[in-house]
Amino acid sequence: MQGICLLGATGSIGQSTLDVIAQHPDKFFLVSASANQSVDKMADICRRFNPQRVVMGSQAARDELASKCQDLDVSFEWGADALDSIASDSSVDQVMAAIMGFAGLKPTLAGIRAGKRTLLANKESLVTAGKLFMDEVARNNVVLLPIDSEHNAIYQSLPQTSNGAHKQDVASIILTASGGPFKSWSIEDMASVTPEQACKHPNWSMGQKISIDSATLMNKGLELIEACWLFDVTPNEVEVVVHPESIVHSMVSYIDGSVIAQMGNPDMKIPIAYGMSWPQRIETNVPPLSLVDVARLNFESPDLVRFPNLKLAADAWFMEGTAMAVLNAANEVAVSAFLKGEIGFLDIARLNERVLMSADIRSVNAIDDVFEADLYSRRLALDLVSGGGF
């Protein structure tokens, strides 16, 4: 049996991971889990799965959870150091890195340095510290499996060796995007988008941050950067296509003219189960895809005028150094400001561009360089939001 450390247990990825664990109790068990402030959800997880250790984002949340679950034999902890500790614990075989945003970087690296199989659902780790991250993966001989449906699809569509996926004979990677809820909206209409509208993704059930990123196509921009690090390519070797049905999760184009695609109903249990059970496959209870019922699959090029975040991500990649960490930090501030009603929907991309173009981009030689760039960029973005000067 494989012991699972679930970083980010109460989000959509975390909940789907727990579904897979519950379906296969003979293969997996929950060793530890984390959440930020969702005490009630975590209390339910503790009673259902009886983990050894649980980490919350604050002492207040930890104390409240401990009070609710005082009859359970669980160690209740809180804080960043505790996250690192559960990710590197000797009882853990696999780390599901599902903490959203930059906060997921440090504990994910802790698991990698401890040699754990890493199931990466936190794209920001690669976006902000890609080279350092991949160097640690190689140094510790870690099996790294992408969980984002698109990157998981690419991984499945690439040639396989004993060391995993590689790009032999590959002409290009085709990264699909749903287009989000505003795929057909004009710029004029998008100016008045509300947070409630932006969070209503047409195909996936996700948290607020990733839903907003999907609506602005920043999520696809971050995935573009992630794909470059994972599969050793540049943005020039990745084609992004809008595919509203979200049935073809991504494709790989080969030099002989072949295109291999991974398809399936839009349910995150599929890539999660693949990562947990690789190189085998296990049942997920996800209904099989019926091409007759789907009937049609549509593809089109993204509109970079209405959705400039995608180009900004490619620009950040070519700027190198801390540029990608700068863009990610600016976007996290921008999305938070939009959700609070402090800026408009179109202001998200404007703020991102202003911060990226204004920041002092430096080389990344150590993880502290990434943290400094993140902090600097957040301050710059917050100043711009408060001043309205963008």
Side-chain angles (χ1 to χ4, degrees):
M1 292 180 66
Q2 294 281 294
I4 308 298
C5 169
L6 179 48
L7 300 174
T10 58
S12 58
I13 297 294
Q15 293 296 295
S16 293
T17 302
L18 292 171
D19 288 344
V20 174
I21 293 173
Q23 188 178 348
H24 297 279
D26 59 323
K27 294 180 172 65
F28 311 107
F29 66 100
L30 187 66
V31 175
S32 53
S34 78
N36 187 18
Q37 303 294 325
S38 300
V39 172
D40 289 339
K41 284 186 177 180
M42 184 57 84
D44 289 340
I45 291 170
C46 289
R47 296 197 178 280
R48 286 178 59 204
F49 294 92
N50 194 34
Q52 298 171 16
R53 302 173 66 185
V54 166
V55 177
M56 300 299 290
S58 68
Q59 184 172 0
R62 178 263 175 209
D63 292 346
E64 183 181 353
L65 179 64
S67 177
K68 288 178 178 290
C69 300
Q70 55 186 319
D71 58 315
L72 300 180
D73 184 20
V74 178
S75 173
F76 299 104
E77 306 165 50
W78 71 278
D81 289 343
L83 282 178
D84 294 354
S85 178
I86 63 170
S88 56
D89 192 290
S90 60
S91 300
V92 169
D93 299 295
Q94 302 183 21
V95 174
M96 173 61 77
I99 296 176
M100 292 297 100
F102 184 69
L105 172 59
K106 194 166 174 283
T108 304
L109 281 175
I112 289 171
R113 287 166 178 154
K116 310 301 182 183
R117 173 185 286 204
T118 301
L119 312 179
L120 188 66
N122 169 265
K123 62 180 65 66
E124 290 84 358
S125 293
L126 273 177
V127 169
T128 59
K131 185 179 186 306
L132 294 175
F133 190 96
M134 296 306 292
D135 284 349
E136 289 288 352
V137 169
R139 185 177 299 114
N140 293 282
N141 196 29
V142 163
V143 174
L144 176 67
L145 293 159
I147 299 302
D148 274 347
S149 61
E150 296 83 358
H151 302 90
N152 191 273
I154 294 165
Y155 190 94
Q156 294 191 49
S157 300
L158 282 168
Q160 298 292 306
T161 70
S162 60
N163 294 320
H166 65 98
K167 64 171 188 172
Q168 180 182 347
D169 301 331
V170 171
S172 65
I173 285 171
I174 303 171
L175 190 64
T176 60
S178 70
F182 312 123
K183 180 179 70 70
S184 303
W185 287 38
S186 68
I187 288 181
E188 291 75 18
D189 289 338
M190 289 165 66
S192 59
V193 161
T194 66
E196 290 74 22
Q197 290 173 314
C199 285
K200 291 181 180 177
H201 193 279
N203 301 330
W204 298 94
S205 175
M206 305 180 293
Q208 285 188 321
K209 166 63 166 57
I210 193 170
S211 294
I212 301 299
D213 282 350
S214 179
T216 66
L217 255 64
M218 177 52 85
N219 190 53
K220 205 53 51 180
L222 299 178
E223 289 179 359
L224 170 66
I225 295 172
E226 184 182 8
C228 289
W229 288 119
L230 282 170
F231 306 116
D232 191 23
V233 295
T234 73
N236 293 336
E237 298 170 277
V238 181
E239 178 186 2
V240 176
V241 297
V242 175
H243 170 50
E245 294 83 6
S246 296
I247 295 297
V248 177
H249 297 299
S250 275
M251 296 167 272
V252 174
S253 176
Y254 287 85
I255 58 176
D256 64 356
S258 300
V259 176
I260 295 179
Q262 188 268 335
M263 305 168 66
N265 287 315
D267 192 311
M268 285 305 298
K269 286 194 291 291
I270 295 175
I272 288 169
Y274 180 84
M276 292 172 67
S277 63
W278 182 88
Q280 284 78 41
R281 294 179 186 264
I282 55 176
E283 294 181 0
T284 63
N285 287 337
V286 177
L289 177 67
S290 170
L291 291 175
V292 174
D293 290 342
V294 172
R296 295 188 58 168
L297 300 174
N298 297 284
F299 302 91
E300 60 187 76
S301 298
D303 185 337
L304 300 183
V305 175
R306 289 184 299 129
F307 300 98
N309 274 332
L310 187 55
K311 182 179 183 301
L312 283 177
D315 290 343
W317 167 270
F318 287 115
M319 291 168 71
E320 300 182 338
T322 57
M324 289 163 277
V326 165
L327 179 61
N328 180 73
N331 185 66
E332 290 192 8
V333 171
V335 170
S336 177
F338 170 66
L339 288 169
K340 295 174 184 175
E342 296 172 348
I343 64 173
F345 182 75
L346 296 179
D347 291 330
I348 296 174
R350 296 185 184 121
L351 180 62
N352 290 341
E353 181 176 20
R354 178 67 182 277
V355 173
L356 182 62
M357 295 301 117
S358 303
D360 180 17
I361 306 301
R362 301 182 179 182
S363 60
V364 176
N365 300 308
I367 196 67
D368 286 347
D369 297 327
V370 177
F371 282 95
E372 289 174 6
D374 177 83
L375 182 60
Y376 164 82
S377 303
R378 288 177 191 275
R379 288 172 175 167
L380 177 56
L382 287 169
D383 287 344
L384 289 170
V385 169
S386 61
F390 61 93

